[in-house]
Amino acid sequence: MASQGTDPRRGPSASAHRTIPLREITLPHRCPRPVRLHVLARAPYFLGLAEDELDRIDRRMRTHSYAAEDQIYRAGDRAEALYVVAEGRVRISQSTADGSGTVTDLLVPGELFGAMGSLGEPYHRQSASALVATCVLRIGQDDFRQVLIDHPRVGLRVLDDVSARLARTQSDIGGQATQTVPQRVATALLRLADKLGEDRGPQGIMLEVPLSRADLAGLARSTPESVSRIMSRWKQQGLIDSGRRWTALLDRERLEHEAAGMG
């Protein structure tokens, strides 16, 4: 399929006569074993494990498929499992004071999410939903505890991950207080580019996700109105281009300057 929009190679003044290819994710009813093992081998907790070790971990997991916008779990639900994204994209969000949701992260294949009471989180603090058609691997507390017993280095990586999450939370809180909105929007776009962007040369770094202004506002800790104004200005200046289901970073260097407060 293709999504109609402007051609990033022609700049923001180009008319909408060209298409940006958008490769839809087609999922099997269940993620087959080769896909599961490949994803587990990429997951941070399990890097470096032998195939037979990954196979034993895989046997402790269950596969779940979700259509776009399906809920995986909600904030406040009892936390009893960890998940690994096998195919698709997962949106992590948290509720705001007015009851709406604000996006805090977008996850790609190989990334882990979720929480467990045994890891100090008895309830989910955030919600998780499928951004597009998605397949995830789920492991419960008892099975994960056995994995930690069988593989002590996985336990050490879990501790490192928890520490890194705390550090990033503190960094994000500090950044929200000191950075301008353009800095935060640029930082969010660059993070997404590093995580799921595809470098297409003259077309820029393509983010093939249905990223709404509200989604980007959540990632940037801002408002959709402010983000829309900034994105419109950057589009006119040739820093980015966008369509209904894609965003292209046309000038990464200038966005890095914006993120550093040098724009």
Side-chain angles (χ1 to χ4, degrees):
M1 294 181 62
S3 175
Q4 295 292 332
T6 59
D7 183 352
R9 292 174 297 182
R10 297 175 61 190
S13 63
S15 60
H17 295 306
R18 301 180 68 88
T19 60
I20 297 295
L22 180 66
R23 290 181 290 280
E24 297 289 350
I25 297 171
T26 301
L27 293 174
H29 181 62
R30 295 175 63 86
C31 297
R33 180 177 179 276
V35 171
R36 299 196 307 267
L37 292 183
H38 175 70
V39 167
L40 288 177
R42 294 169 54 192
Y45 289 177
F46 310 129
L47 286 175
L49 295 184
E51 184 173 345
D52 63 322
E53 295 175 305
L54 294 173
D55 186 61
R56 288 195 294 273
I57 293 173
D58 175 62
R59 293 175 190 173
R60 295 183 177 277
M61 291 188 154
R62 298 293 179 266
T63 305
H64 299 270
S65 294
Y66 299 89
E69 303 303 327
D70 278 357
Q71 202 79 33
I72 300 173
Y73 57 77
R74 289 180 171 83
D77 289 349
R78 186 173 295 278
E80 300 175 331
L82 293 180
Y83 301 81
V84 182
V85 183
E87 291 279 1
R89 304 284 187 268
V90 170
R91 177 198 291 118
I92 304 297
S93 60
Q94 63 185 22
S95 297
T96 58
D98 61 6
S100 61
T102 179
V103 177
T104 59
D105 206 355
L106 296 180
L107 308 181
V108 300
E111 290 197 270
L112 294 105
F113 64 104
M116 289 181 173
S118 58
L119 296 180
E121 294 185 71
Y123 299 95
H124 289 293
R125 298 179 182 178
Q126 299 178 315
S127 299
S129 59
L131 183 65
V132 297
T134 296
C135 179
V136 302
L137 308 180
R138 180 187 187 277
I139 186 167
Q141 292 194 93
D142 291 342
D143 284 310
F144 190 67
R145 185 178 291 111
Q146 189 59 50
V147 169
L148 297 182
I149 293 171
D150 295 341
H151 307 283
R153 57 178 162 169
V154 174
L156 293 175
R157 288 171 180 169
V158 171
L159 292 175
D160 289 342
D161 181 53
V162 171
S163 298
R165 291 188 190 188
L166 290 173
R168 177 170 173 177
T169 298
Q170 293 300 319
S171 176
D172 288 345
I173 292 173
Q176 185 175 357
T178 60
Q179 290 181 324
T180 65
V181 175
Q183 282 181 279
R184 297 201 298 271
V185 174
T187 298
L189 287 173
L190 291 169
R191 281 183 180 176
L192 291 175
D194 291 338
K195 180 179 288 191
L196 49 84
E198 179 183 348
D199 191 346
R200 297 193 184 176
Q203 287 185 326
I205 301 174
M206 191 65 62
L207 308 177
E208 288 186 335
V209 289
L211 187 68
S212 70
R213 292 294 182 260
D215 291 338
L216 187 54
L219 293 171
R221 304 295 194 274
S222 185
T223 64
E225 295 76 17
S226 296
V227 169
S228 291
R229 287 194 295 270
I230 292 166
M231 294 289 281
S232 295
R233 184 175 79 243
W234 288 350
K235 193 170 184 177
Q236 292 175 351
Q237 295 173 345
L239 276 69
I240 64 163
D241 199 1
S242 62
R244 187 174 64 88
R245 293 173 59 85
W246 57 270
T247 302
L249 277 59
L250 304 181
D251 194 331
R252 175 163 187 145
E253 184 176 354
R254 289 176 66 188
L255 285 172
E256 289 174 343
H257 287 166
E258 290 282 353
M262 300 164 56

